[in-house]
């Protein structure tokens, strides 16, 4: 299939690579850095040209304004779309903005699927991403073979555009708040004089057990704060959560508090630390380290 | 072995039953309710008499003041102890008070192990409790056969009395904050119009995956708020956490905030709801239900 791929960053590059390996031909936009030759990509001057040449256009961009600019800016995707094409936005962006973008694209006769991922750079490289998709069944079915080339756990959350983004926001809330929970527990244990390694082991067997306690708990104990997933990116996601909650008229009290703690993490110089380094904020608040 | 068992409540009754089945003879205190005949217990008039007759005395009591009264009150355990006996406190109580209790018991020539459990009534009945023990190795080794009759995952957290209680506090922090995290995520998903069942399923496969998302997340969706583990009991545990943190001079910001949310749960009439009903507080704050 002729597949447009816009956003060849840390995530997008390996994802487009898996599509190429699966026999699809990537269409990309010329950029400052050279396009990796192993993609065998067709290089275009504009997003519009990509949309004109490809049947499906995938976006993998940092944030909501980037998606809006690439879709609807001058020489953007929307200018190159025609009846029957499909836009798949795999960026993690605002669920409410996604609904608006989808309506505008569908008004032009093209389909839209939002399909944010979790699993990070490692998941992108290993083609083991978790993909959470929203949009009409017919468009999801068309996108599925592409998803299968890039991910392992693929869920069609619902038929409404934005449903995938809602699931991704929910995911980032749970991950952030569980990291914070593990951080409070391990700093408490250390400050109280117990061995955080033993506490982590004991807790893994019961209801406190989680992937976060396993992986990020160990990172906290071993002081392994190279990313992983960067504090600044998790802050972007929690910002989407809090903004959406405000628009929906609802409260996310611990998400809001945890975003504040991430602010402290950045005050400590941690924008590019792994998000498990949130423990350093709790350690500062206890004048005591876990590791 | 002649084993004193003080505290034949919802947890203590099945735990003492497993000890009896394993061939030990329980020594208990006469109480208002009849002592279950299947225990084949020796019934005494006072905790002192239990301590005089048994080699090991196990306590399974509601809170710190109960343990203090049974150990050091009139006709209490301390009055009946002699050189070489062992006190095992399986209640979930203050780690700092535990250190004081252990010092007083050890000053009399007896050993002390704190060994709180998680797993609830179901775990007590199935002899599948998670047991987190603190105290000198020699005392832990002596207690281990008794633990093996009552639990499945048994961890000697450390040689210091209170280490077991510290691990239990850490456990209760993680469980409460993860329940709160899942509640925020599912209420957000529902309010944003996505299907919380699908969101839970998608999240279980990734870094947001946890036992709490699995079990308590499903309870929230299915409105299954019969306990389980009661809100009032989890509040007791978080109170221990916050009190200990204050004594240790450290902050537990999300634990404190979540304790406040549990206060709201009780305001809604939920003292005896399962702790997963914390979701009702978030629902109230969103004017929208998950289930």
């Amino acid at each position: 299939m002729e597949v447009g791929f816009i956003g060849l960053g840390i995530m997008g590059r390996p994802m487009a690579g898996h599509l190429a390996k699966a026999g699809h031909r990537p269409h990309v936009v010329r950029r400052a850095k050279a396009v990796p030759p192993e993609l065998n990509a067709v290089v275009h001057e504009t997003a519009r040209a990509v949309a004109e040449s490809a049947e499906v256009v995938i976006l993998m961009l940092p944030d909501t304004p980037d998606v809006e600019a690439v879709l609807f800016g001058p020489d953007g995707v929307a200018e190159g779309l025609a009846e029957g094409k499909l836009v798949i936005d795999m960026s993690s962006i605002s669920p409410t903005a996604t609904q608006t973008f989808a309506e505008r694209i569908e008004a032009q006769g093209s389909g839209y699927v939002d399909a944010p991922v979790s699993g990070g750079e490692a998941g992108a490289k290993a083609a083991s991403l978790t993909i959470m998709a929203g949009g009409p069944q017919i468009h999801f079915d068309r996108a599925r073979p592409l998803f299968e080339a890039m991910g392992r756990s693929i869920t069609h959350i619902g038929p409404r555009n934005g449903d995938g983004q809602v699931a991704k926001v929910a995911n980032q809330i749970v991950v952030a708040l569980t990291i914070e929970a593990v951080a409070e527990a391990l700093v408490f244990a250390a400050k109280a004089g117990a061995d955080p390694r033993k506490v982590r082991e004991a807790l893994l067997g019961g209801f406190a057990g989680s992937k976060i306690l396993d992986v990020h708990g160990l990172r906290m104990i071993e002081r392994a704060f190279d990313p992983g997933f960067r504090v600044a990116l998790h802050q972007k996601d929690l910002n989407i959560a809090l903004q959406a909650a405000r628009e929906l008229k609802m409260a996310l009290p611990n998400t809001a508090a945890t975003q504040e703690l991430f602010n402290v993490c950045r005050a400590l110089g941690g924008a590019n630390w792994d998000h498990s380094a949130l423990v350093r904020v709790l350690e500062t608040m206890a004048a005591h380290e876990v590791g």
Side-chain angles (χ1 to χ4, degrees), chain A:
Chain A
M1 199 188 287
E2 308 297 312
V3 181
F5 203 107
I6 298 176
L8 295 174
I10 289 173
M11 298 290 292
R13 214 161 33 238
M15 290 164 71
H18 290 299
L19 291 174
K21 260 183 269 168
H24 303 290
R25 181 153 51 176
H27 291 251
V28 305
V29 178
R30 187 179 306 286
R31 51 206 296 270
K33 284 188 219 164
V35 173
E38 67 273 20
L39 290 186
N40 289 318
V42 183
V43 180
H44 300 270
E45 295 305 317
T46 63
R48 176 169 60 90
V50 168
E52 283 165 354
S53 309
E55 181 187 336
V56 172
V57 180
I58 295 176
L59 310 185
M60 190 62 187
L61 295 162
D63 205 348
T64 311
D66 308 295
V67 172
E68 184 165 27
V70 164
L71 286 179
F72 305 111
D75 281 327
V77 168
E79 292 182 11
L81 288 177
E83 192 79 21
K85 299 209 175 188
L86 179 64
V87 172
I88 306 174
D89 180 23
M90 303 190 77
S91 324
S92 292
I93 67 162
S94 158
T96 45
T98 291
Q99 289 175 322
T100 312
F101 297 166
E103 280 163 23
R104 291 175 69 181
I105 294 295
E106 280 165 10
Q108 291 188 248
S110 294
Y112 195 100
V113 173
D114 53 294
V117 307
S118 78
E121 187 181 350
K125 285 185 174 163
S128 66
L129 292 168
T130 295
I131 300 175
M132 296 155 268
Q137 186 72 45
I138 190 169
H139 300 322
F140 174 77
D141 290 342
R142 192 167 164 202
R144 184 189 269 283
L146 302 173
F147 294 155
E148 284 168 352
M150 296 181 281
R152 195 176 291 153
S153 163
I154 297 151
T155 307
H156 187 202
I157 302 293
R160 223 191 31 150
N161 281 118
D163 280 351
Q165 298 293 354
V166 167
K168 176 65 192 284
V169 168
N171 188 77
Q172 296 305 82
I173 290 172
V174 171
V175 169
L177 271 52
T178 310
I179 287 175
E180 205 282 339
V182 168
E184 289 200 14
L186 293 186
V187 175
F188 176 83
K191 181 88 177 179
D195 179 355
R197 277 180 198 274
K198 282 286 187 182
V199 170
R200 171 179 161 279
E201 279 167 32
L203 267 53
L204 275 175
F207 267 118
S210 67
K211 258 208 166 147
I212 297 289
L213 177 61
D214 188 3
V215 174
H216 297 74
L218 193 61
R219 273 179 171 271
M220 293 176 197
I221 290 166
E222 298 191 334
R223 320 308 285 171
F225 297 136
D226 285 341
F229 190 76
R230 290 169 207 275
V231 165
L233 273 174
H234 213 144
Q235 283 216 290
K236 183 213 83 173
D237 292 340
L238 295 191
N239 188 45
I240 290 171
L242 295 168
Q243 180 67 36
R246 211 171 302 125
E247 291 167 15
L248 292 165
K249 302 185 185 68
M250 64 171 295
L252 295 173
N254 284 9
T255 302
T258 302
Q259 179 75 314
E260 292 298 307
L261 296 176
F262 274 127
N263 281 344
V264 181
C265 207
R266 294 185 72 161
L268 299 175
N272 290 317
W273 294 342
D274 183 72
H275 50 173
S276 59
L278 185 61
V279 73
R280 282 186 164 151
V281 178
L282 280 301
E283 288 170 344
T284 302
M285 294 164 94
H288 194 97
E289 286 191 9
V290 162

